[in-house]
Short mmCIF file of all heavy atoms in Angstrom, two decimals:
data_model
loop_
_atom_site.label_atom_id
_atom_site.label_comp_id
_atom_site.label_asym_id
_atom_site.label_seq_id
_atom_site.Cartn_x
_atom_site.Cartn_y
_atom_site.Cartn_z
N VAL T 326 -8.35 7.96 -5.12
CA VAL T 326 -9.65 8.38 -5.64
C VAL T 326 -9.66 8.27 -7.16
O VAL T 326 -10.64 7.79 -7.76
CB VAL T 326 -9.98 9.82 -5.20
CG1 VAL T 326 -11.21 10.34 -5.95
CG2 VAL T 326 -10.23 9.88 -3.70
N THR T 327 -8.56 8.69 -7.80
CA THR T 327 -8.46 8.60 -9.25
C THR T 327 -8.54 7.15 -9.73
O THR T 327 -9.30 6.82 -10.65
CB THR T 327 -7.15 9.24 -9.74
OG1 THR T 327 -7.09 10.60 -9.32
CG2 THR T 327 -7.03 9.16 -11.25
N ALA T 328 -7.75 6.27 -9.11
CA ALA T 328 -7.72 4.86 -9.52
C ALA T 328 -9.07 4.20 -9.29
O ALA T 328 -9.56 3.44 -10.15
CB ALA T 328 -6.63 4.13 -8.75
N CYS T 329 -9.70 4.44 -8.14
CA CYS T 329 -10.99 3.84 -7.85
C CYS T 329 -12.05 4.30 -8.84
O CYS T 329 -12.85 3.50 -9.35
CB CYS T 329 -11.42 4.19 -6.42
SG CYS T 329 -10.51 3.35 -5.12
N SER T 330 -12.06 5.59 -9.13
CA SER T 330 -13.08 6.14 -10.03
C SER T 330 -12.93 5.60 -11.44
O SER T 330 -13.93 5.22 -12.09
CB SER T 330 -12.98 7.68 -10.04
OG SER T 330 -13.16 8.21 -8.75
N GLU T 331 -11.70 5.53 -11.93
CA GLU T 331 -11.48 5.02 -13.28
C GLU T 331 -11.83 3.54 -13.38
O GLU T 331 -12.37 3.07 -14.39
CB GLU T 331 -10.03 5.26 -13.69
CG GLU T 331 -9.70 6.73 -13.90
CD GLU T 331 -8.28 6.94 -14.39
OE1 GLU T 331 -7.46 6.01 -14.24
OE2 GLU T 331 -8.00 8.02 -14.92
N THR T 332 -11.53 2.78 -12.33
CA THR T 332 -11.81 1.34 -12.35
C THR T 332 -13.30 1.06 -12.29
O THR T 332 -13.82 0.21 -13.04
CB THR T 332 -11.09 0.66 -11.18
OG1 THR T 332 -9.68 0.84 -11.33
CG2 THR T 332 -11.39 -0.84 -11.16
N PHE T 333 -14.02 1.74 -11.41
CA PHE T 333 -15.46 1.49 -11.31
C PHE T 333 -16.20 2.02 -12.55
O PHE T 333 -17.25 1.49 -12.91
CB PHE T 333 -16.02 2.12 -10.03
CG PHE T 333 -15.91 1.22 -8.84
CD1 PHE T 333 -14.68 0.97 -8.26
CD2 PHE T 333 -17.02 0.58 -8.32
CE1 PHE T 333 -14.55 0.11 -7.17
CE2 PHE T 333 -16.92 -0.27 -7.23
CZ PHE T 333 -15.68 -0.51 -6.65
N LEU T 334 -15.64 3.04 -13.19
CA LEU T 334 -16.20 3.50 -14.45
C LEU T 334 -16.12 2.40 -15.50
O LEU T 334 -17.04 2.20 -16.29
CB LEU T 334 -15.44 4.74 -14.92
CG LEU T 334 -15.88 5.37 -16.25
CD1 LEU T 334 -17.30 5.91 -16.13
CD2 LEU T 334 -14.90 6.47 -16.66
N GLU T 335 -15.01 1.64 -15.48
CA GLU T 335 -14.83 0.54 -16.43
C GLU T 335 -15.64 -0.69 -16.03
O GLU T 335 -16.19 -1.39 -16.90
CB GLU T 335 -13.35 0.18 -16.53
CG GLU T 335 -13.04 -0.90 -17.56
CD GLU T 335 -11.55 -1.19 -17.69
OE1 GLU T 335 -10.74 -0.46 -17.08
OE2 GLU T 335 -11.19 -2.16 -18.39
N LEU T 336 -15.71 -0.96 -14.72
CA LEU T 336 -16.45 -2.13 -14.26
C LEU T 336 -17.94 -1.99 -14.49
O LEU T 336 -18.62 -2.96 -14.83
CB LEU T 336 -16.18 -2.36 -12.77
CG LEU T 336 -14.92 -3.09 -12.35
CD1 LEU T 336 -14.81 -3.10 -10.84
CD2 LEU T 336 -14.89 -4.51 -12.90
N PHE T 337 -18.46 -0.80 -14.30
CA PHE T 337 -19.91 -0.58 -14.39
C PHE T 337 -20.21 0.55 -15.38
O PHE T 337 -20.62 1.65 -14.98
CB PHE T 337 -20.47 -0.24 -13.00
CG PHE T 337 -20.14 -1.26 -11.95
CD1 PHE T 337 -19.14 -1.02 -11.01
CD2 PHE T 337 -20.80 -2.47 -11.90
CE1 PHE T 337 -18.82 -1.96 -10.04
CE2 PHE T 337 -20.50 -3.42 -10.93
CZ PHE T 337 -19.51 -3.17 -10.01
N PRO T 338 -19.97 0.30 -16.65
CA PRO T 338 -20.18 1.35 -17.66
C PRO T 338 -21.64 1.78 -17.72
O PRO T 338 -22.56 0.96 -17.60
CB PRO T 338 -19.74 0.66 -18.96
CG PRO T 338 -19.89 -0.81 -18.70
CD PRO T 338 -19.57 -0.98 -17.25
N GLY T 339 -21.84 3.07 -17.88
CA GLY T 339 -23.19 3.60 -18.00
C GLY T 339 -23.88 3.91 -16.69
O GLY T 339 -24.97 4.50 -16.68
N LYS T 340 -23.28 3.52 -15.56
CA LYS T 340 -23.89 3.79 -14.26
C LYS T 340 -23.65 5.24 -13.83
O LYS T 340 -24.58 6.00 -13.59
CB LYS T 340 -23.35 2.82 -13.20
CG LYS T 340 -23.62 1.35 -13.51
CD LYS T 340 -25.11 1.04 -13.54
CE LYS T 340 -25.35 -0.45 -13.78
NZ LYS T 340 -26.79 -0.77 -13.85
N LEU T 341 -22.38 5.60 -13.69
CA LEU T 341 -21.99 6.96 -13.32
C LEU T 341 -20.81 7.37 -14.18
O LEU T 341 -20.03 6.51 -14.61
CB LEU T 341 -21.59 7.04 -11.84
CG LEU T 341 -22.67 6.74 -10.78
CD1 LEU T 341 -22.04 6.73 -9.39
CD2 LEU T 341 -23.81 7.75 -10.84
N ASP T 342 -20.65 8.67 -14.42
CA ASP T 342 -19.46 9.12 -15.13
C ASP T 342 -18.32 9.32 -14.13
O ASP T 342 -18.51 9.20 -12.91
CB ASP T 342 -19.73 10.39 -15.93
CG ASP T 342 -20.24 11.54 -15.06
OD1 ASP T 342 -20.08 11.48 -13.82
OD2 ASP T 342 -20.80 12.51 -15.61
N TYR T 343 -17.12 9.61 -14.65
CA TYR T 343 -15.95 9.71 -13.78
C TYR T 343 -16.12 10.74 -12.66
O TYR T 343 -15.84 10.43 -11.49
CB TYR T 343 -14.70 10.02 -14.61
CG TYR T 343 -13.47 10.28 -13.75
CD1 TYR T 343 -12.68 9.22 -13.32
CD2 TYR T 343 -13.14 11.56 -13.34
CE1 TYR T 343 -11.58 9.44 -12.50
CE2 TYR T 343 -12.05 11.80 -12.53
CZ TYR T 343 -11.26 10.74 -12.11
OH TYR T 343 -10.19 10.97 -11.30
N PRO T 344 -16.54 11.97 -12.96
CA PRO T 344 -16.67 12.95 -11.87
C PRO T 344 -17.61 12.50 -10.75
O PRO T 344 -17.35 12.74 -9.57
CB PRO T 344 -17.21 14.20 -12.58
CG PRO T 344 -16.76 14.06 -13.99
CD PRO T 344 -16.84 12.59 -14.27
N LYS T 345 -18.70 11.81 -11.11
CA LYS T 345 -19.65 11.36 -10.09
C LYS T 345 -19.04 10.25 -9.23
O LYS T 345 -19.25 10.22 -8.01
CB LYS T 345 -20.95 10.90 -10.74
CG LYS T 345 -21.76 12.05 -11.33
CD LYS T 345 -23.03 11.56 -12.00
CE LYS T 345 -23.81 12.73 -12.60
NZ LYS T 345 -25.04 12.27 -13.32
N TRP T 346 -18.30 9.33 -9.86
CA TRP T 346 -17.61 8.31 -9.06
C TRP T 346 -16.62 8.96 -8.10
O TRP T 346 -16.51 8.56 -6.93
CB TRP T 346 -16.88 7.32 -9.97
CG TRP T 346 -17.71 6.22 -10.55
CD1 TRP T 346 -17.94 5.96 -11.87
CD2 TRP T 346 -18.42 5.21 -9.83
NE1 TRP T 346 -18.75 4.86 -12.03
CE2 TRP T 346 -19.06 4.38 -10.79
CE3 TRP T 346 -18.60 4.94 -8.48
CZ2 TRP T 346 -19.85 3.29 -10.43
CZ3 TRP T 346 -19.39 3.84 -8.12
CH2 TRP T 346 -19.99 3.03 -9.07
N ALA T 347 -15.89 9.98 -8.58
CA ALA T 347 -14.92 10.66 -7.72
C ALA T 347 -15.61 11.32 -6.53
O ALA T 347 -15.10 11.27 -5.40
CB ALA T 347 -14.16 11.71 -8.54
N VAL T 348 -16.77 11.91 -6.76
CA VAL T 348 -17.53 12.54 -5.67
C VAL T 348 -18.01 11.48 -4.68
O VAL T 348 -17.94 11.67 -3.46
CB VAL T 348 -18.71 13.35 -6.23
CG1 VAL T 348 -19.64 13.80 -5.10
CG2 VAL T 348 -18.21 14.56 -7.02
N VAL T 349 -18.50 10.35 -5.19
CA VAL T 349 -18.99 9.27 -4.32
C VAL T 349 -17.87 8.75 -3.42
O VAL T 349 -18.04 8.62 -2.19
CB VAL T 349 -19.58 8.11 -5.16
CG1 VAL T 349 -19.80 6.87 -4.29
CG2 VAL T 349 -20.89 8.55 -5.80
N PHE T 350 -16.71 8.44 -4.01
CA PHE T 350 -15.60 7.89 -3.23
C PHE T 350 -15.04 8.92 -2.24
O PHE T 350 -14.68 8.57 -1.11
CB PHE T 350 -14.49 7.39 -4.15
CG PHE T 350 -14.85 6.12 -4.89
CD1 PHE T 350 -14.72 6.04 -6.26
CD2 PHE T 350 -15.32 5.03 -4.20
CE1 PHE T 350 -15.06 4.87 -6.94
CE2 PHE T 350 -15.66 3.85 -4.86
CZ PHE T 350 -15.54 3.77 -6.23
N THR T 351 -14.99 10.17 -2.65
CA THR T 351 -14.49 11.20 -1.76
C THR T 351 -15.45 11.41 -0.60
O THR T 351 -15.04 11.53 0.56
CB THR T 351 -14.30 12.53 -2.52
OG1 THR T 351 -13.42 12.33 -3.62
CG2 THR T 351 -13.70 13.59 -1.60
N GLY T 352 -16.77 11.46 -0.89
CA GLY T 352 -17.75 11.65 0.17
C GLY T 352 -17.77 10.51 1.17
O GLY T 352 -17.83 10.73 2.39
N ALA T 353 -17.72 9.27 0.68
CA ALA T 353 -17.69 8.11 1.58
C ALA T 353 -16.44 8.12 2.45
O ALA T 353 -16.50 7.82 3.66
CB ALA T 353 -17.76 6.82 0.77
N SER T 354 -15.32 8.46 1.87
CA SER T 354 -14.06 8.53 2.62
C SER T 354 -14.12 9.60 3.70
O SER T 354 -13.60 9.41 4.81
CB SER T 354 -12.90 8.81 1.67
OG SER T 354 -12.79 7.82 0.67
N LEU T 355 -14.75 10.72 3.39
CA LEU T 355 -14.90 11.80 4.37
C LEU T 355 -15.67 11.32 5.59
O LEU T 355 -15.27 11.58 6.74
CB LEU T 355 -15.62 12.98 3.71
CG LEU T 355 -16.12 14.10 4.64
CD1 LEU T 355 -14.94 14.76 5.35
CD2 LEU T 355 -16.91 15.13 3.85
N LEU T 356 -16.76 10.60 5.37
CA LEU T 356 -17.57 10.11 6.49
C LEU T 356 -16.80 9.11 7.35
O LEU T 356 -16.78 9.20 8.58
CB LEU T 356 -18.86 9.49 5.98
CG LEU T 356 -19.84 10.43 5.27
CD1 LEU T 356 -21.01 9.65 4.71
CD2 LEU T 356 -20.32 11.52 6.22
N ILE T 357 -16.15 8.14 6.70
CA ILE T 357 -15.47 7.07 7.44
C ILE T 357 -14.24 7.60 8.16
O ILE T 357 -13.88 7.13 9.25
CB ILE T 357 -15.10 5.92 6.49
CG1 ILE T 357 -16.38 5.28 5.94
CG2 ILE T 357 -14.23 4.88 7.19
CD1 ILE T 357 -16.13 4.21 4.90
N SER T 358 -13.57 8.61 7.61
CA SER T 358 -12.33 9.11 8.22
C SER T 358 -12.56 9.66 9.61
O SER T 358 -11.64 9.71 10.43
CB SER T 358 -11.72 10.20 7.34
OG SER T 358 -12.55 11.35 7.28
#
Side-chain angles (χ1 to χ4, degrees):
V326 170
T327 301
C329 288
S330 301
E331 291 184 341
T332 298
F333 274 72
L334 180 64
E335 184 177 352
L336 278 175
F337 305 103
K340 300 297 183 182
L341 296 174
D342 58 17
Y343 174 86
K345 290 179 181 177
W346 278 120
V348 170
V349 167
F350 288 128
T351 303
S354 301
L355 168 63
L356 295 175
I357 295 175
S358 66

